[in-house]
Amino acid sequence: MAAKTSVVTESGEVRRALVVGGGLGGLMTVLKLCEAGVPVDLFSLVPVKRSHSVCAQGGINASVNIKGEGDSPYTHFYETIKGGDFLANQPPAKGMAEAAPGIVYMLDRMGVPFNRTPEGNLDFRRFGGTLFHRTAFAGATTGQQLLYALDEQVRRWETQDVEDDRGVTLPGQKMVRKFEAWDLVALVLDEGGTCRGIVAQDLKNNSLQAFRGDAVCLATGGPGLVFGRSTNSMINTGSASAIAFQAGARYANGEFIQVHPTAIPGTDKLRLISESVRGEGGRIWVPKDKGDKREGARIPEAERYYFLEEKYPKYRNLVPRDIASRELFRAVKHEGYSAEGQEAVFLDVTHLNRDVVKKKLEGVLEIYEKFVGVDPYTNPMKIFPAVHYSMGGLWVDFEKGPDGALAPASARNQQTSIPGLFATGEADYQYHGANRLGANSLLSCIYGGMVTGPAMVAWRDGERRSALDLPSSLFEAETRRQQDAWDALGKRTGGEYTVNPYELHGRLGDMMLLKCTVERHDKDLDEVLATLQTMKAEFKRCALLDPAGSGTMNQPRVFLRHLAGMLTLAEVIALGARARQECRGAHYKPALDPELTTGAVGRDDKDWLKTTLATHSKDGPALSYEPVDISLLALARRDYGKVSTGKG
Amino acid sequence: MGLDTVTLKIRRGEGPGPSRWETFKVPRRPMMNVVSCLLEVQKNPVTADGKASTPVQWDCSCLEEVCGACTMVINGRVRQSCSALVKDLSPEGQTVVLEPMSKFPRVRDLVVDRQRMFDALRKTRAWVEIDGTHQLGPGPRVSQEDQEVMYPLSRCMTCGCCVEACPNYNDRSAFLGPQVISLARLYNMHPSGSMQASQRLDALMGVGGIADCGKAQNCAEVCPKAIPLTESIAVLGRETLKRALFGWLLKG
Ligand SMILES: Cc1cc2nc3c(=O)[nH]c(=O)nc-3n(C[C@H](O)[C@H](O)[C@H](O)COP(=O)(O)OP(=O)(O)OC[C@H]3O[C@@H](n4cnc5c(N)ncnc54)[C@H](O)[C@@H]3O)c2cc1C
Ligand code: SF4
Ligand code: SF4
Ligand code: FES
């Protein structure tokens, strides 16, 4: 039907695609849609320039082999799969590694101020899980620089007019319309279960509105706030994923939560100290004497225990994150090591050349200086592991092409289990398996966007109907339902409504952090699952803290919606963790570790080399599993050359 | 001295309506910043004199001074609330005063609408024109020296501190602000961005452009990223002057 694929309807309305989320994943999707001539509505909780991607410090991986070390996209692919403990589907990861050099070149053309070699080429640094210099970087604020570059390109499309099929511009219709400070509230599904649009809320005045879209993408980032304090931004509640999950989308591998080894302990947030600090030569150590409370700078070399270097002589401080976090956690929590008497270890750059370090790491070290008030150039930093990234996310499909990577422009790529709904960026589960390698996320977000845009176009072109052909009653009904839900929140005053939602969130976070991160015990997880039921009951008694009427911004009222989403995802995460009886990547149960218990299974490829799929039901999430695509690389042991040191 | 609480005095209100002051006391903890104080108020929104109130509303996201969201006026100085530490603001228990930025329409409490700053980015064509996102090989080479000038310029987070401090930026003037002048310098320096330099200069020679800057330098003093705004204004001043004098020669 030619009429349907045209951008403008007979009555002059513009057929748009919808992208929710303006981090790297969402913005790249928008650019690809615009280049294909599809106008877009873009939604975000904050001005997209303030999206969480701005926090990324260290860099983006691409095997350009500038240093002549013999690195290649194939090695990058292999190390990504091995880093993820073989749980990632291999064709998408292959596509990503192969596309990486081109992605970094594209970003360079957009004007990202990457650090340079003396010859004016892109410079690369080392990151965890590899022995190669594979990470391009712009100082220590790479995510900010990449986000700004994509934000600028999208802004350029914001100034471009929509053209109809004859090339005539439509006055007042721009290729990109931004809805910033808007919150996703619901998906609109038609009678056949296909996603045809969304209902969103303007946070400045609470008005709810339905938007029609010929394909919808969620690029809404990760759920770090489920764990209370983490390295994540305050807006990362995962609420959009929870909304999709409850509308029927599958959520995959929720139990795989990355804990980053090096963050600054804090009361509001656990600020990250990037892996790039170790990539540039930073060393991790603890005083040999467990009772030593001296400042790091005053402890002589001979009295320091560089435990990662001793245990992993080949990768040293740059073992993958899951391994490093477990080692740090073990040293402090079980072996009693400390830094200045606190539950922390030292991360030390004081032996490095100050000027060189400053050029490459200023953005990160500045954070330490600003928030701790101690100069990291002269005093070893005190750090401890923190929740950082979700490998799990909305399940998305893929189609393997003839070369083993993704089939180009297949509508299956990045499509969730709800037809017409796509997901990309940290919100999806696709690229990292059981553990993500450092500097692979900025890459997977941008690559995901490059795949999602064309997939949405293919889907739109293959559909018989456009969202604009559907009766408006479909959209009105959902908007009304959401208006009722919003109004109901407004009635939560007095009487039984005694629970402070922020306080409940605090307890949720503390529990998840303590029992569902580095080391997991079945007994604890059972407790978490039981407590989550109580918390869900408490949620029903959460009070509306702000009675402000309609039309007035009301953050506490909106927070109730996000809190409901976090409780939902917490259950998905804990249930997946309870069920998985093995150790793989970030998912680790001491009871199943052969190093601790002889005969324990460790990684169990026979029974557990499979993707966890959670589906919503009225009794809570239900789990099922599907096989992983391991068609390209053989399974291998993953030990990073650990040697026994006899210490501990 | 036993400092166990932090006193916050906050200017509150809805939209353009009247403001009111409210005072809260929250438990004081080591390494506390203004954001963690406001998080405490959320958990117990009761004023210092025991009246039930509502959580104070403010914007924040990254909590590490890189997103620009949480800007407000703290003890009379515009800055990010996430990096404003209580131990510096109130070493001896002094009251910490929080107000919304004054140069933008207030939405609620400490939340303001900075759309005008994003519009300015559009007006000044603050981007590098590329032919597309498809594969066109590596970008242009850039010397380490140039990168070292460009990187600091590109850290502007559109936070608004500079324009809050600028005497010439207000709702009666169309001034675009020093931040876009500095960004124009950045894109004009980029090897391919420089191909559209004249378009950016033209935008800055129009209404609200560089001529509206009175060179008061307040902006550079408050920029949290220490962006050399004064230097950028001088560089662009020279470039626009050159274009004003000789630009007509180049026009077809
Ligand atoms: C401190 C830190 C440092 C990091 N460093 C690196 C690094 O060096 N290298 C690397 O590769 N990775 C790094 N990462 C990981 C990486 O930054 C993130 O995984 C990535 O940026 C996620 O991007 P995204 O596009 O998926 O989503 P985000 O950037 O999180 O954006 C999500 C978007 O969705 C919007 N949104 C969310 N919910 C809603 C809703 N309900 N309604 C409307 N809009 C919504 C938000 O407003 C936002 O625009 C780091 C992460 C952290 C926390
Ligand atoms: S120099 Fe002065 S007038 Fe010019 S932008 Fe800065 S503060 Fe405003
Ligand atoms: S120039 Fe500095 S003060 Fe102004 S918006 Fe940018 S970062 Fe903020
Ligand atoms: S919250 Fe991002 S700058 Fe303060």
Side-chain angles (χ1 to χ4, degrees):
Chain A
M1 270 174 69
K4 197 271 306 177
T5 48
S6 71
V7 160
V8 187
T9 64
E10 271 149 35
S11 59
E13 284 178 282
V14 175
R15 296 184 213 272
R16 291 179 178 267
L18 310 183
V19 175
V20 186
L24 291 174
L27 295 180
M28 193 65 228
T29 305
V30 171
L31 291 179
K32 283 295 184 193
L33 286 165
C34 288
E35 287 182 347
V38 178
V40 185
D41 281 350
L42 171 60
F43 301 82
S44 171
L45 288 169
V46 290
V48 294
K49 195 177 177 180
R50 309 199 197 285
S51 295
H52 168 64
S53 291
V54 89
C55 288
Q57 303 169 349
I60 177 167
N61 285 337
S63 294
V64 174
N65 195 31
I66 286 279
K67 311 258 176 194
E69 300 165 323
D71 191 15
S72 70
Y74 183 83
T75 312
H76 182 189
F77 166 44
Y78 179 76
E79 290 181 342
T80 299
I81 294 296
K82 179 182 167 197
D85 228 348
F86 295 88
L87 193 64
N89 291 311
Q90 296 180 356
K94 178 168 192 275
M96 174 177 86
E98 287 171 351
I103 286 175
V104 170
Y105 290 153
M106 171 197 78
L107 294 164
D108 190 23
R109 284 171 39 233
M110 289 176 178
V112 172
F114 283 117
N115 282 53
R116 300 285 164 169
T117 64
E119 204 178 320
N121 286 312
L122 298 172
D123 198 4
F124 287 79
R125 61 164 54 127
R126 269 193 69 200
F127 249 68
T130 183
L131 297 172
F132 294 106
H133 288 78
R134 186 185 289 150
T135 308
F137 59 103
T141 58
T142 312
Q144 178 190 41
Q145 301 307 319
L146 302 196
L147 184 73
Y148 290 1
L150 297 189
D151 173 60
E152 287 154 8
Q153 295 302 321
V154 167
R155 188 166 291 106
R156 190 175 151 215
W157 281 105
E158 247 188 305
T159 65
Q160 310 275 311
D161 297 306
V162 176
E163 291 179 359
D164 71 10
D165 302 330
R166 292 160 300 157
V168 179
T169 58
L170 298 169
Q173 290 284 357
K174 299 294 179 191
M175 283 300 286
V176 173
R177 297 195 300 186
K178 274 188 194 153
F179 296 85
E180 294 173 319
W182 283 67
D183 191 12
L184 176 79
V185 174
L187 302 174
V188 180
L189 307 187
D190 68 14
E191 67 294 342
T194 297
C195 184
R196 301 294 188 179
I198 65 170
V199 175
Q201 184 171 41
D202 183 344
L203 297 176
K204 292 193 287 301
N205 60 29
N206 308 324
S207 64
L208 288 157
Q209 197 181 324
F211 294 83
R212 301 175 185 224
D214 284 348
V216 178
C217 173
L218 298 186
T220 42
L225 267 265
V226 168
F227 294 84
R229 288 166 304 148
S230 73
T231 65
N232 282 200
S233 293
M234 298 296 277
I235 55 172
N236 291 14
T237 61
S239 135
S241 295
I243 287 167
F245 174 70
Q246 278 173 323
R250 290 171 176 168
Y251 197 91
N253 286 344
E255 66 268 33
F256 291 95
I257 295 289
Q258 177 163 82
V259 175
H260 196 291
T262 60
I264 313 171
T267 51
D268 54 337
K269 161 165 189 175
L270 309 175
R271 294 179 178 81
L272 181 76
I273 296 296
S274 165
E275 193 165 295
S276 54
V277 170
R278 282 170 288 140
E280 298 293 349
R283 302 175 76 186
I284 289 201
W285 59 274
V286 284
K288 281 184 182 159
D289 172 1
K290 293 178 183 169
D292 195 336
K293 292 196 171 51
R294 282 177 295 173
E295 277 171 34
R298 305 178 45 184
I299 300 175
E301 192 59 30
E303 294 173 33
R304 301 174 174 191
Y305 174 29
Y306 294 92
F307 55 100
L308 285 177
E309 298 177 16
E310 287 193 22
K311 289 184 183 175
Y312 301 90
K314 199 162 154 210
Y315 285 82
R316 297 164 61 89
N317 292 289
L318 286 171
V319 285
R321 293 175 177 174
D322 54 328
I323 297 177
S325 287
R326 268 192 300 276
E327 296 288 0
L328 263 68
F329 191 85
R330 195 170 290 161
V332 171
K333 294 277 185 184
H334 301 316
E335 293 165 3
Y337 290 104
S338 64
E340 295 173 17
Q342 294 160 21
E343 287 204 333
V345 306
F346 288 116
L347 170 57
D348 197 345
V349 296
T350 59
H351 57 289
L352 302 172
N353 177 307
R354 188 182 179 118
D355 293 335
V356 176
V357 173
K358 200 166 166 138
K359 266 185 202 154
K360 294 183 164 177
L361 298 173
E362 189 175 7
V364 189
L365 298 179
E366 192 176 270
I367 290 177
Y368 194 83
E369 195 156 7
K370 232 170 210 159
F371 290 92
V372 183
V374 172
D375 174 12
Y377 297 97
T378 50
N379 298 286
M381 297 176 272
K382 280 179 292 183
I383 53 93
F384 198 66
V387 169
H388 184 58
Y389 181 86
S390 174
M391 276 71 71
L394 292 169
W395 177 88
V396 290
D397 199 3
F398 68 91
E399 185 177 337
K400 182 177 168 184
D403 62 347
L406 292 181
S410 160
R412 280 177 57 196
N413 292 335
Q414 303 286 142
Q415 189 161 183
T416 69
S417 57
I418 296 179
L421 179 70
F422 295 74
T424 201
E426 193 172 334
D428 80 34
Y429 91 111
Q430 190 64 286
Y431 297 92
H432 309 291
N435 168 64
R436 168 174 75 82
L437 289 191
N440 254 358
S441 170
L442 299 182
L443 176 62
S444 66
C445 289
I446 296 178
Y447 178 67
M450 288 192 144
V451 172
T452 308
M456 289 169 77
V457 175
W459 161 263
R460 169 189 181 276
D461 291 350
E463 270 297 276
R464 208 166 34 82
R465 291 186 304 178
S466 154
L468 284 169
D469 303 333
L470 299 173
S472 54
S473 55
L474 179 68
F475 300 90
E476 285 157 8
E478 189 57 46
T479 313
R480 224 173 11 252
R481 236 188 325 273
Q482 297 307 327
Q483 186 66 49
D484 291 345
W486 177 255
D487 293 344
L489 292 180
K491 299 198 182 93
R492 288 172 165 240
T493 48
E496 64 195 286
Y497 299 109
T498 51
V499 180
N500 177 309
Y502 295 104
E503 186 272 332
L504 176 58
H505 176 237
R507 278 188 282 131
L508 168 71
D510 288 346
M511 171 178 81
M512 293 299 286
L513 198 56
L514 190 67
K515 299 192 169 155
C516 212
T517 53
V518 182
E519 294 184 353
R520 293 164 167 177
H521 302 277
D522 284 342
K523 192 170 90 18
D524 288 349
L525 293 168
D526 285 335
E527 241 175 79
V528 167
L529 287 164
T531 311
L532 281 171
Q533 299 313 313
T534 331
M535 288 185 168
K536 282 202 283 187
E538 281 188 90
F539 176 75
K540 297 208 172 97
R541 292 188 290 111
C542 273
L544 175 73
L545 296 179
D546 191 330
S550 58
T552 304
M553 175 182 225
N554 195 327
Q555 292 173 340
R557 193 153 161 187
V558 172
F559 183 72
L560 289 169
R561 180 162 66 227
H562 285 254
L563 179 57
M566 287 189 272
L567 286 163
T568 303
L569 292 184
E571 200 174 357
V572 170
I573 293 166
L575 194 68
R578 175 66 180 85
R580 188 172 279 273
Q581 293 304 337
E582 64 160 348
C583 299
R584 187 184 294 275
H587 173 71
Y588 173 78
K589 292 185 170 172
L592 302 176
D593 179 357
E595 275 189 36
L596 302 179
T597 320
T598 32
V601 17
R603 184 178 97 193
D604 180 357
D605 289 335
K606 190 166 78 48
D607 289 330
W608 286 99
L609 181 55
K610 53 190 183 186
T611 300
T612 307
L613 301 175
T615 343
H616 173 68
S617 77
K618 68 175 187 343
D619 310 316
L623 299 184
S624 59
Y625 295 89
E626 74 169 13
V628 180
D629 183 327
I630 48 166
S631 56
L632 303 172
L633 295 172
L635 298 177
R637 229 174 95 81
R638 176 179 183 265
D639 63 3
Y640 296 93
K642 183 171 187 175
V643 296
S644 163
T645 62
K647 274 210 191 88
Chain B
M1 187 174 52
L3 282 179
D4 47 9
T5 57
V6 187
T7 308
L8 305 162
K9 186 175 162 200
I10 303 173
R11 184 198 284 276
R12 305 192 61 175
E14 287 84 48
S19 296
R20 60 184 189 280
W21 289 97
E22 265 182 6
T23 304
F24 295 90
K25 279 195 192 315
V26 300
R28 187 171 172 128
R29 291 207 204 87
M31 275 175 58
M32 210 173 189
N33 54 10
V34 167
V35 168
S36 15
C37 295
L38 294 172
L39 291 171
E40 286 298 327
V41 173
Q42 285 183 333
K43 288 186 181 164
N44 183 26
V46 175
T47 63
D49 44 13
K51 278 212 283 292
S53 184
T54 55
V56 175
Q57 309 204 11
W58 83 104
D59 270 333
C60 73
S61 181
C62 72
L63 298 196
E64 50 196 48
E65 204 191 72
V66 70
C67 80
C70 68
T71 316
M72 57 182 75
V73 178
I74 303 174
N75 288 350
R77 183 189 161 95
V78 65
R79 56 187 299 185
Q80 277 68 51
S81 51
C82 65
S83 55
L85 302 186
V86 168
K87 74 174 171 53
D88 304 327
L89 296 168
S90 165
E92 281 151 11
Q94 298 91 328
T95 299
V96 177
V97 183
L98 308 181
E99 295 170 87
M101 280 189 278
S102 64
K103 300 289 174 77
F104 303 99
R106 175 173 66 189
V107 180
R108 186 151 189 212
D109 293 346
L110 303 167
V111 180
V112 296
D113 184 350
R114 282 168 276 186
Q115 187 57 41
R116 177 172 167 188
M117 291 189 79
F118 294 103
D119 292 342
L121 293 174
R122 239 189 343 254
K123 286 195 190 119
T124 52
R125 308 181 68 79
W127 53 75
V128 170
E129 304 260 329
I130 61 165
D131 293 337
T133 61
H134 52 292
Q135 286 317 303
L136 289 171
R141 294 208 182 178
V142 174
S143 71
Q144 288 183 334
E145 237 170 51
D146 281 351
Q147 192 271 346
E148 282 166 28
V149 178
M150 290 159 72
Y151 172 68
L153 298 179
S154 73
R155 292 180 71 191
C156 169
M157 49 187 188
T158 319
C159 69
C161 288
C162 54
V163 295
E164 175 72 14
C166 171
N168 293 5
Y169 191 94
N170 52 56
D171 51 12
R172 296 173 309 282
S173 91
F175 186 33
L176 297 162
Q179 80 290 2
V180 290
I181 299 175
S182 189
L183 285 174
R185 175 184 175 206
L186 167 66
Y187 305 116
N188 286 4
M189 260 190 92
H190 185 265
S192 35
S194 67
M195 296 172 195
Q196 281 78 38
S198 52
Q199 293 179 12
R200 292 184 204 100
L201 293 179
D202 285 346
L204 286 173
M205 287 157 69
V207 179
I210 194 161
D212 285 8
C213 161
K215 318 255 172 344
Q217 304 192 12
N218 301 13
C219 51
E221 272 165 43
V222 294
C223 174
K225 297 290 130 183
I227 294 173
L229 294 170
T230 324
E231 192 184 296
S232 293
I233 292 167
V235 170
L236 262 278
R238 283 196 298 276
E239 282 186 34
T240 46
L241 183 66
K242 245 193 290 180
R243 182 154 175 82
L245 293 176
F246 307 114
W248 58 274
L249 284 174
L250 309 169
K251 278 191 187 152

